[in-house]
Amino acid sequence: MSNQNESRGLRLLSLDGGGIRGLSQLVILRELMDRVKSMSGLAEPPLPGEFFDLIGGTGTGGLITLMLGPVCMSVAHAITTYCQMSEEVFSKTKWKGKDSTFKASKLEDFIKKIVAGRLGDSEAQMLDLSCNDPCKMFVCAMPAYSINPAIPHLFHNYQVPEGATFNCLVWEAAQATSATPTIFKAIKIGEPFIQQLFIDAGMGCNNPIKQVLDILEPSV
């Protein structure tokens, strides 16, 4: 991964899955951005999407990655949005006996709403996200029938020379990284007739730090 400011080193951010821990990650990140503001003499804390070179996340961390990265939210806005999401998406459970606890359609509708509000298109695709100088980002998911949970599938907002993925919609990537069995149902993503079924990557990649660091390899 090339960087225009190699002398300062790469700024990398890894965000774990884990439900409510997502809020604690945002609180810590808010403190970090406030310190950057103070040390740099800025009027406002920098946007994570402008400060970091790469952000990667799984599950809840994947949702936050989408908010902070190409959607370009401030940490304060992401905290407010995260709390709204908790109320709208997790406020009501399905009937007992269903394949998951919460409705994936509610998560889909919520993500579409914030993407439309920030980017002007609820059907924005991962590789076509429009933002001023967006950082690179990815979210982790897992093919439902994968035999190796330690090797997740990454949905990027940038082209890669190897392991290129289908240019899915932002809400599809959000749903895939959130599809924890028993919480949300799995989602099919891909071109017609060759779609794959995805669940979240929490079993083998709840902390995607390895995938974030792998970006340093020349092959990536």
Side-chain angles (χ1 to χ4, degrees), residues 138-206:
F138 65 80
V139 298
C140 301
M142 189 71 62
Y145 305 109
S146 173
I147 60 174
N148 189 347
I151 303 178
H153 184 100
L154 307 185
F155 291 101
H156 308 86
N157 74 331
Y158 58 96
Q159 297 285 359
V160 294
E162 297 181 4
T165 61
F166 175 73
N167 188 13
C168 68
L169 305 178
V170 177
W171 70 261
E172 290 178 317
Q175 203 163 311
T177 196
S178 305
T180 303
T182 74
I183 303 298
F184 290 115
K185 66 180 181 181
I187 179 175
K188 289 182 179 179
I189 296 177
E191 298 179 17
F193 308 112
I194 54 173
Q195 293 181 322
Q196 282 187 285
L197 193 65
F198 288 95
I199 59 175
D200 92 312
M203 183 64 71
C205 183
N206 198 56

Side-chain angles (χ1 to χ4, degrees), residues 52-139:
F52 291 99
D53 298 300
L54 173 73
I55 305 176
T58 298
T60 297
L63 294 176
I64 296 172
T65 295
L66 291 168
M67 294 179 195
L68 298 179
V71 181
C72 292
M73 287 187 180
S74 66
V75 179
H77 190 178
I79 289 174
T80 300
T81 302
Y82 184 91
C83 293
Q84 291 173 342
M85 180 180 66
S86 298
E87 293 178 1
E88 294 186 27
V89 178
F90 300 103
S91 60
K92 187 176 181 180
T93 60
K94 289 183 178 180
W95 291 98
K96 290 183 178 181
K98 295 291 184 178
D99 56 353
S100 57
T101 305
F102 301 100
K103 291 184 177 181
S105 60
K106 284 187 173 292
L107 178 62
E108 174 186 339
D109 291 343
F110 185 85
I111 298 299
K112 282 183 175 180
K113 180 172 65 176
I114 65 172
V115 171
R118 300 289 293 184
L119 302 177
D121 181 8
S122 64
E123 299 292 310
Q125 293 178 289
M126 288 291 286
L127 295 178
D128 303 324
L129 293 171
S130 58
C131 177
N132 293 326
D133 193 24
C135 72
K136 290 180 171 61
M137 55 75 59
F138 65 80
V139 298

